[in-house]
């Protein structure tokens, strides 16, 4: 569930969140969204299972063991 940051300060209890239409009638009910899973541009995403988003670790490319060797491409190395 994505929440706008200007609403974050007003939300005290996120145990139950009701989405209301223009007439004030509830058309969606979300319960137990108590954890900020991930902050995003323009708001944040809540979690109802206690999980928190972790950025993936991107490994830097490693240098070749022997700089004189060329990488195998195409069908050259498939015998």
């Amino acid at each position: 569930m994505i929440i706008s940051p200007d609403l974050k300060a007003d939300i005290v209890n996120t145990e139950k969140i009701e989405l209301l239409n223009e007439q004030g009638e509830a058309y969606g009910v979300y319960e137990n969204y108590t954890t900020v899973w991930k902050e995003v541009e323009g708001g944040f995403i809540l979690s109802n299972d206690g999980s928190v988003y972790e950025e993936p670790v991107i490994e830097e490319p490693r240098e070749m063991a022997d700089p004189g060797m060329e990488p195998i491409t195409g069908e050259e190395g498939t015998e």
Side-chain angles (χ1 to χ4, degrees):
M1 166 172 287
I2 300 176
I3 303 294
S4 174
D6 56 331
L7 295 176
K8 186 175 181 180
D10 296 338
I11 295 176
V12 176
N13 182 355
T14 56
E15 291 285 327
K16 182 176 181 180
I17 299 170
E18 292 183 343
L19 301 180
L20 306 177
N21 62 18
E22 292 177 3
Q23 292 76 33
E25 300 165 342
Y27 66 90
V29 178
Y30 298 89
E31 297 187 48
N32 300 313
Y33 283 82
T34 57
T35 306
V36 175
W37 183 71
K38 178 182 179 183
E39 294 200 23
V40 295
E41 185 177 331
F44 56 94
I45 303 171
L46 295 175
S47 165
N48 67 346
D49 63 2
S51 62
V52 177
Y53 178 79
E54 293 183 28
E55 284 287 334
V57 177
I58 300 173
E59 295 184 26
E60 294 293 322
R62 291 183 259 165
E63 290 187 30
M64 294 175 59
D66 183 354
M69 295 179 68
E70 293 293 322
I72 298 174
T73 58
E75 295 184 20
E76 298 168 350
T78 57
E79 290 185 25

